[in-house]
Amino acid sequence: MEWFAGGVTLPKGFLASGVAAGIKKVKRDLALIYSEVPAAAAGVFTTNRVKAAPLLVTAARLARGVAQAVVVNSGNANACTGEEGYADALAMARLAATVMKLPEELVLVSSTGVIGQRLPLEKIAAALPAAVAALDVTGHAAAAEAILTTDTVTKEAAVRFSVGGCTCAVGGMAKGSGMIHPNMATMLAFITTDVAIEAALLRRALKEAVDASFNMITVDGDTSTNDMVVVLANGMAGNPKLTAAGPAYADFVAALTAVCTELAKKIARDGEGATRLIEVRVTGAKTLADARLAARAIAGSNLVKAAVFGRDANWGRILCAAGYSGAAFDPAKVAIFIGAEQVAAGGAGLPFSEARASRELAQDPVVITVDFNEGAAAAVAWGCDLTYDYVRINASYRT
C-alpha cells in the first residue's frame, strides 16, 4: 500500500469539482463527485435522533446499494427545516441529476453549515452547470475545499494497493472541525474506490473501517445532525469482484481503514481552536470494546484536553476518564505514560520529571498511553486540546 495525492479522483473513473455558489461569502461551497459508471455504494450516518433532510434522502437511496454521484453544499445544513427542507434536499439532488444527465435516484446529497435555515436552491441551481463543466480528475482539491465550514485546512487522503493482481485505489476527502464525537460527528467524509465489490460486502467493510477511525475521534463531545460517511466503489480497477471475506477483502479493508484513519486524524487535529492532536493508546485491555471505551473517554475528557493545552501532566484526569468510560479493568494494575515519560504505575503516581512531561505535552501529536495490564486488546483514539479559541469560534458561529 502506497500513499498518493489525488483524493477522491485517484481511483479510476472518478471526477470531482468545487465551485462558489454564493451560499458562503466568496468561497467555494458546492462540490460534486462523479463516477463514470454506476457504483456500489454504502454509508454510515449520525446516531443523533435529529437528522438533517439530505441525510434522510441519501440513507434511503443507499438502501439500493448503488449510486453514481454526490452533490454537497456547505454554509447551510438544511437541518431542522421540516417538510420544506426534505423537499429542498430532493430538489437539490434532482437539479444535479438533470445537469449531469443521470437518473435522479443515483445522485446522493449532503449539506453542512448553519442549522435551521432553508437551503438557497436558486443559488445551487445557478451554480450546478459550472460545477458539472468543471468535473475533472484534477478537481479533487477544489471539491475538498468546497465542503469546509470552520475547518482551517482541507482534508484528503489516497492510497494504491493490489487486489487479485490488479492495482486498485482508495481516495477520500472529509470535513470536520467542531461538533465532533464518536458515533459520528459534524463531519462529512466521501470515499471513492475502483475496487469491484458487492454492495453488501462494501457496507460491511465501511462499518469496520469507520469503527476504527471516524468513531474513534472526538473534539468537543457533540454529535451533529448531518454526519455521514459515504463510499462509492465503481469496479473500474478490473479486479475479480469481491463477494466474500478472504485475503483480498482483508487487503481492501486495510486500505479503506488507512484512508479513513488518516482523514479522521486530520479532523481531530483541525478541531476548532486546537493547537495539538492528542493520540490516546489503550493497551493490555481484556477486550477491544473495553480498550475503545477507555480510549474514547480519555480523548474526549475536557479536563484532559485542557491539561494538554496547559502542558500540565495531570495524570489523575487520565485515570479518572478511563474509570467512568464503562471499560472493565482493575485500577490497581494501570500504568500511564505521557509520551516517553511514565507518570503512574499500579494505579498510583510515580516520581517523574515535570519538565520532561511538559516537553512531551508540547509535541504534536501528544501521545498518551494507558496500559491496563490485563489482556491483549488495544485501541487508539484521537482528539485535540481545548483552547480559549474554541469558545470564541462557537460563541458567534451564526454571525
Side-chain angles (χ1 to χ4, degrees), residues 223-314:
T223 299
S224 186
T225 56
N226 291 58
D227 318 329
M228 67 172 70
V229 180
V230 169
V231 59
L232 303 181
N234 66 12
M236 292 185 68
N239 63 285
K241 192 171 187 178
L242 303 182
T243 60
Y249 171 75
D251 290 341
F252 171 62
V253 171
L256 181 62
T257 302
V259 168
C260 289
T261 299
E262 183 65 15
L263 293 173
K265 289 167 67 175
K266 288 182 177 182
I267 289 172
R269 176 60 185 83
D270 195 32
E272 290 172 340
T275 65
R276 297 191 292 291
L277 176 70
I278 301 172
E279 181 171 294
V280 179
R281 303 172 182 172
V282 173
T283 62
K286 291 179 179 177
T287 68
L288 177 60
D290 288 328
R292 284 179 169 173
L293 283 170
R296 288 188 297 216
I298 295 165
S301 165
N302 283 338
L303 290 177
V304 172
K305 290 154 61 70
V308 170
F309 174 60
R311 302 181 188 177
D312 177 15
N314 194 335

Side-chain angles (χ1 to χ4, degrees), residues 5 56 65 97 119 141 157 205 296 300 336 382-383:
L56 296 174
L119 199 63
R296 288 188 297 216
I336 300 173
W382 298 273

Side-chain angles (χ1 to χ4, degrees), residues 183-201:
N183 297 319
M184 309 298 290
T186 299
M187 51 150 285
L188 303 176
F190 304 99
I191 314 295
T192 59
T193 181
D194 47 19
V195 167
I197 182 171
E198 285 190 346
L201 196 61

